[in-house]
Amino acid sequence: MTTATAPRVVLVPTARPTFAVDVARSLAADARALLVELGADVVGPEDLVMTPEDVEAAKPFLADGADLVVNVCASFSDATPALELYRDLDQPVLLWSFREPGPVGDRLWLNSMCGANLFGHALVVHAGRAPHLVLGNPDEPGTRRALAEALAGHLPERVGLPANRGQRADAATVVPALESLRGRRLGLVGDAPPGFTPSQYDGALVASLFGIEVEQLDIDAMFDRVRTVDDVVAKSEYAAAVAAQPSLGTVDADQALTSARITTAMRDWRDEGALDGMAIRCWPEFPNQLGACPCSSLSRVADESTPTACERDVYGAVTMLLMEALGSGTTYLVDTVDLDAEANIVRLWHCGAAATSLAADPSDATQFTHCNRKLGVAGNFPLKTGPVVMARLTEDPARPGTLRLLLASGESVAEPNRFQGNTAAVRLDGDAEQFVTGLVTGGFPHHTVLAWTDVRPQLRAAADHLGIAVIDW
């Protein structure tokens, strides 16, 4: 029974309809019930917040005042609700992320952790406020304890930035690599997806630090290129792709042929523009307007030693160019989507754009449909094992107008492909739970770059040379 002293909680359950909405809705209801059981006076939208109209409808709940705002990341969502609802809020915001419930080999049902990560980046970098994080399902004792303490005024601690200072390479060995970036060209297709704050970038900063030039192509211009690919050329590329990965032959032929046209158009644009990397707005226009996903095309181009980043992530692509200039070999842009704290493992994933050379078995880098869109073509294979490093250039909220560099390391261990797309299970050298919490509460992007050659000494030295702060997990 609610009393006059019951803490007032506004609960906002955010989600996106391309994920397992029924599961998200059920978990959000369980979350609300737990808060009520713990003695909170809970208000807020009864159903999932998924549309702009839902966000507007949630605003009056926040206007009435509350002791605590809990944003349940019932599934992945872009960061639009975070900025619309919480940018000017006085109350603390607690992000609540759920475990991944689906079976091994299925798609990500919720991608809740990544949603919390994206919210954290938006709030720290674009609103100047750091959220708190609870990770766990409503039926977990640890979740119950954390929420009971939060209701008593003791919010989960944010993770401070580590003070580690790792080994540096000799600056003289990295300066030539940095100089080699000057004049390189990065091709961008489209704008940043709505609510994807890590995909925003400062072009003048990229030019001044790295000398990388940006060439922009809008979506319609790329689609014109795709549609005008010669039939004979498209069929030749399709045949070459099937020869490289015979599993492609099981994908809908029309979608696979469209994928071949996308690959050809990207390759031709790269060659004509002397591009050294690409960052592509891969949805929603590609699946909605062309009827195919570009993941496998990004993979094909990456296998030709041209770094490719999805979701038009410019700083992600610049990180890839920097790492590969320093000797990392082929890299992959990934989300952090799952945590096994007991095993100290994080699972790194994206939906199927990894170069097939990065597969655990490159001869069996299965090509399939996209996990959410159910259209061809996207890779569906685990990533290779061995020592790995993670890196990411991103905005530095402590020094606006500059960048910082996140670094981590670990061991990619063998396991079945946990989530449809490309997954690596990485046993971190540092504390995995602290790392995940630090990503969210420290405002780091949901994308990092994964590599199988340890270039951290070179990256640290390069960052020092450029005046970039190093955050070494």
Side-chain angles (χ1 to χ4, degrees), residues 398-453:
R399 300 182 304 152
T402 65
L403 297 179
R404 55 181 173 166
L405 174 68
L406 175 145
L407 294 175
S409 64
E411 177 89 8
S412 177
V413 299
E415 68 171 29
N417 198 33
R418 174 64 181 88
F419 304 112
Q420 187 179 323
N422 304 126
T423 317
V426 175
R427 182 174 292 114
L428 289 180
D429 294 331
D431 184 285
E433 190 165 14
Q434 290 280 298
F435 174 74
V436 169
T437 304
L439 283 181
V440 176
T441 65
F444 290 94
H446 65 301
H447 286 161
T448 54
V449 179
L450 186 63
W452 281 258
T453 299

Side-chain angles (χ1 to χ4, degrees), residues 139-361:
D139 60 354
E140 296 179 24
T143 303
R144 185 184 186 93
R145 285 193 300 272
L147 289 167
E149 292 178 4
L151 294 176
H154 307 294
L155 291 165
E157 290 189 8
R158 302 183 183 100
V159 172
L161 299 182
N164 303 323
R165 181 172 174 82
Q167 177 186 0
R168 263 70 174 166
D170 188 328
T173 67
V174 304
V175 169
L178 290 173
E179 288 300 317
S180 76
L181 292 175
R182 298 202 166 271
R184 292 202 188 185
R185 293 169 54 76
L186 177 63
L188 311 185
V189 173
D191 298 321
F196 275 62
T197 51
S199 294
Q200 299 172 15
Y201 77 104
D202 182 337
L205 184 59
V206 169
S208 65
L209 285 174
F210 302 102
I212 293 174
E213 302 171 6
V214 171
E215 178 173 328
Q216 183 88 29
L217 189 68
D218 66 34
I219 288 282
D220 289 339
M222 173 53 77
F223 287 179
D224 287 344
R225 285 176 167 268
V226 171
R227 293 183 178 114
T228 56
V229 170
D230 182 82
D231 288 347
V232 173
V233 174
K235 290 175 181 177
S236 176
E237 163 56 25
Y238 171 69
V242 172
Q245 301 296 337
S247 57
L248 179 60
T250 66
V251 178
D252 178 273
D254 288 339
Q255 294 170 18
L257 189 59
T258 300
S259 178
R261 294 182 187 280
I262 294 170
T263 303
T264 303
M266 287 183 179
R267 186 185 289 131
D268 288 350
W269 182 49
R270 176 199 63 190
D271 294 345
E272 291 168 15
L275 303 177
D276 299 285
M278 293 181 180
I280 308 293
R281 175 169 164 141
C282 49
W283 61 266
E285 292 84 3
F286 274 90
N288 289 352
Q289 296 181 33
L290 284 186
C293 292
C295 308
S296 186
S297 297
L298 294 171
S299 170
R300 292 278 289 169
V301 174
D303 268 322
E304 298 167 359
S305 299
T306 302
T308 57
C310 58
E311 296 171 347
R312 216 229 52 183
D313 185 347
V314 177
Y315 289 146
V318 172
T319 306
M320 299 170 93
L321 286 168
L322 174 62
M323 294 176 76
E324 296 188 22
L326 293 170
S328 69
T330 302
T331 58
Y332 188 40
L333 191 75
V334 291
D335 296 342
T336 302
V337 299
D338 194 31
L339 168 69
D340 181 344
E342 186 174 344
N344 207 51
I345 282 175
V346 292
R347 289 185 177 86
L348 309 175
W349 167 92
H350 230 152
C351 49
T356 60
S357 61
L358 298 179
D361 179 0

